[in-house]
């Protein structure tokens, strides 16, 4: 049977505080409950972790050994928590488009987002449709509106057969966007006059 992380964290608090009273004041858990949990932890680990006296809890040899390990675990747990909380610090925006647009945005995402502290983008290929019920995307730049889900749309107007000029935009060197591979058959690729290569 393995010790729970909650009990190990409580062990750390008792060991660093020197007894149940200090641990109770720090956690809000009653001293008798903490005492029972420490006794249960000792039984689970089949080791004597504390020497109990009127002056409080003093770590036994196995308790000292465990304390070193639990401190390492606590440090790593804190690092994981910090790393994980960073995932929610910046707003996240999903952009869907057909193949060429999704690829273009994905390849130039550093121009859209300037790293930590800015909006994070995730690009989706909406070539085979988009399900707005499951909120596949926050923004969709597509030729036909989704057939499902609640959404509001704003038409961009008729673009005719013009190409997309990107001279100097986002650090691109060319004067237009080309499409190859599966994206060649997309309506937007045909509008750009892309030829099969």
């Amino acid at each position: 049977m393995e010790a729970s992380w909650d009990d190990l964290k409580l062990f750390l608090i008792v060991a660093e505080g020197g007894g149940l009273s200090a641990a109770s004041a720090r956690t809000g858990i009653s001293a008798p409950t903490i005492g029972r949990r420490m006794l249960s932890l000792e039984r689970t680990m089949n080791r004597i972790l504390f020497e109990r006296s009127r002056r409080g809890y003093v770590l036994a040899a196995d308790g000292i050994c465990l304390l070193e390990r639990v401190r390492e675990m606590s440090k790593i747990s804190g690092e994981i928590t910090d790393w994980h909380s960073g995932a929610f610090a910046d707003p996240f925006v999903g952009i869907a488009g057909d193949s060429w647009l999704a690829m273009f945005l994905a390849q130039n995402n550093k121009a859209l987002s300037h790293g930590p502290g800015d909006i994070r983008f995730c690009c989706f290929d909406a070539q085979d449709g988009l399900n707005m019920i499951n909120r596949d995307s926050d923004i969709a730049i597509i030729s036909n509106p989704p057939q499902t889900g609640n959404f509001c749309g704003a038409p961009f107007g008729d673009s005719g057969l013009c190409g997309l000029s990107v001279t100097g935009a986002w650090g691109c060197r060319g004067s237009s966007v080309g499409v190859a591979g599966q994206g060649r058959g997309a309506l937007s690729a045909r509008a750009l006059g892309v030829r099969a290569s």
Side-chain angles (χ1 to χ4, degrees):
M1 187 166 160
E2 289 187 26
S4 76
W5 177 231
D6 287 338
D7 284 345
L8 291 172
K9 287 189 290 188
L10 189 57
F11 164 80
L12 179 62
I13 292 168
V14 172
E16 290 179 341
L20 301 181
S21 297
S24 179
R26 186 169 165 192
T27 63
I29 302 171
S30 71
T33 300
I34 294 173
R36 285 190 296 272
R37 285 179 61 185
M38 291 303 97
L39 188 58
S40 174
L41 179 63
E42 287 180 321
R43 289 180 181 148
T44 298
M45 302 196 81
N46 200 25
R47 306 227 181 217
I48 297 172
L49 304 175
F50 295 103
E51 294 175 7
R52 293 158 178 86
S53 69
R54 291 182 184 165
R55 301 172 110 184
Y57 278 35
V58 176
L59 286 173
D62 285 336
I64 293 169
C65 189
L66 179 62
L67 179 60
E68 293 172 19
R69 289 171 171 81
V70 173
R71 280 184 174 150
E72 288 176 31
M73 288 175 65
S74 182
K75 180 179 179 269
I76 291 169
S77 175
E79 290 170 358
I80 291 170
T81 299
D82 291 345
W83 171 78
H84 180 256
S85 65
F88 303 103
D90 299 332
F92 176 85
V93 177
I95 302 176
D98 59 11
S99 298
W100 75 269
L101 181 60
M103 186 178 354
F104 180 76
L105 291 172
Q107 289 173 345
N108 293 284
N109 70 6
K110 288 186 179 178
L112 296 171
S113 176
H114 301 290
D118 198 4
I119 294 173
R120 295 180 306 133
F121 290 95
C122 184
C123 300
F124 300 95
D125 181 359
Q127 187 72 30
D128 296 326
L130 193 63
N131 183 350
M132 296 304 277
I133 289 175
N134 297 328
R135 201 170 166 160
D136 288 348
S137 177
D138 297 304
I139 300 170
I141 305 172
I142 52 180
S143 56
N144 296 313
Q147 301 303 309
T148 60
N150 297 325
F151 62 92
C152 65
F156 286 123
D158 188 9
S159 63
L161 295 176
C162 64
L164 176 62
S165 175
V166 292
T167 303
W170 298 338
C172 296
R173 293 185 183 167
S175 60
S176 64
V177 176
V179 182
Q182 290 180 316
R184 287 192 310 250
L187 178 62
S188 55
R190 289 194 303 271
L192 289 171
V194 174
R195 294 189 187 116
S197 53

